Amino acid sequence: MNILLVNPPNCGRSIPEENYGISSIKMIFRGEPLSLETLAGNLAGHAVVIADLKADPLALSPEKLPFAPDLIGLTGVTCEANTVLSLAESLKSRFGCPVVVGGHHASCDPAFFSRPFVDHVVVGLGKLSFRQLVDAIEAGRPPEVAGILNVQAGTPGPFTARSYSTADLVDEQPPRYDLVQQHRETYVMSGVGGKTGFVASAFGCTHGCAFCCIPKMTDGHYLLHSNAAVVRDVQAIGDVATIRLVDANTFGNVKTATDLARRFMAAGIRTPLVADVRSDTVVRHPDLFALWHKAGLRVAVIGFEEISDRRLEMLDKRNTVATNIAATRILKDLGIRIVGDFIVSPDYTEADFDRLSDFIGHSGIDLPIPAILTPIPGTPLHRRMAAQIRIDNLDYYTFTNAVTATRMSEERFYRRYAALLEGCLAHVHPAGAHGEKETAT
């Protein structure tokens, strides 16, 4: 079969820009479409093309497509969901072949994609289930695959939930990095490390924070790739300035993480590494991060989220501000830079903004990134806040819009948020994360 996999373009809308002329609130990181590269890795025997519309807006033009597809797959996060629908409708009309949608939003709210121009929705990890769907379609069998929602004339059919395991990672089949090699120079993370390659070592998370959609991808399981496969994938990336381990939590299993660091060193991998970690893991296992620093960890991404224990508890974070501060000190002493994610609630007051700004200013965090609290459909937070949501248009679910009412006047809220964000981005070292010259993007 000829299989076309599509990564949607950068999209989303901005209330502060549309309503108040505030154009500075933009946080776009152009990373490679690892989810599609991963799917493609398990499609041996088929001709596969990845059309990455973020890197090449004309990738779907007749001049650039090498074939008429027999099957089309699209992925997208929540703020891309409407764009994915438009692409699905257009491509269905153009080619008439089966259209499959997957990704984070499809996993959180599969019914959203029950439309006449969508045939199947992949719920959760799709590397194995998508292959099973492809095999069924090619053989003319009923596409009855656990984890796949079949849609008939816009109506969802019966659904069998999938019991995810490491088998769904299909470790033996590496991602098809070669399918986007022509765009490698454009995959960058400014302020973190320039040209960046993505590698996954784990899926899911050890925790279930109320705002997070990641547990939906594995039905709450924390699944680890073999360390041999992770080393293989890092080596396959080629010449990049940084390797970004894109797991929600690279260090959820301390024994496995220790072994992985040692394997990196044994393999002679010297590319600087960026990885996500919980602050309580850093505090409990400082020796692990001393080892990882030797293995190349240069940037740790931590979800600090809030600066009060009460608000952290409301988010089901199962952590404390004191632990966050202690972890910051440990990592800074080791020479590991910190990207800190913070959540700005729409109910913030002037005093709340002042406190967060002061906290960030004294924290030593190298790149603080404040995002606006956004209840993503399918998450516990969305269920709790459903009655408060006043904006249902998913184009605004970019984490830079308030989709619930603000306590301050809306314009004042956005101006304080814009000022906070501007101050945070001023923390970015002008020479980039690792001392190299970096081109602004």
Side-chain angles (χ1 to χ4, degrees), residues 83-132:
T83 298
V84 168
L85 283 181
S86 296
L87 285 167
E89 185 173 20
S90 172
L91 291 169
K92 183 73 170 180
S93 174
R94 180 176 167 188
F95 295 109
C97 62
V99 172
V100 187
V101 176
H104 279 95
H105 194 71
S107 299
C108 284
D109 188 12
F112 179 84
F113 293 103
S114 294
R115 311 293 173 113
F117 42 84
V118 174
D119 300 281
H120 312 280
V121 181
V122 179
V123 180
L125 294 185
K127 189 174 183 180
L128 182 56
S129 62
F130 185 70
R131 175 66 200 233
Q132 292 169 341

Side-chain angles (χ1 to χ4, degrees), residues 325-356:
I325 294 171
T328 300
R329 291 170 178 161
I330 291 168
L331 293 173
K332 297 295 284 186
D333 286 346
L334 289 171
I336 297 173
R337 298 177 73 244
I338 301 169
V339 173
D341 292 331
F342 290 90
I343 293 177
V344 173
S345 176
D347 73 359
Y348 265 27
T349 63
E350 296 277 4
D352 290 318
F353 273 108
D354 290 341
R355 280 190 288 269
L356 179 55

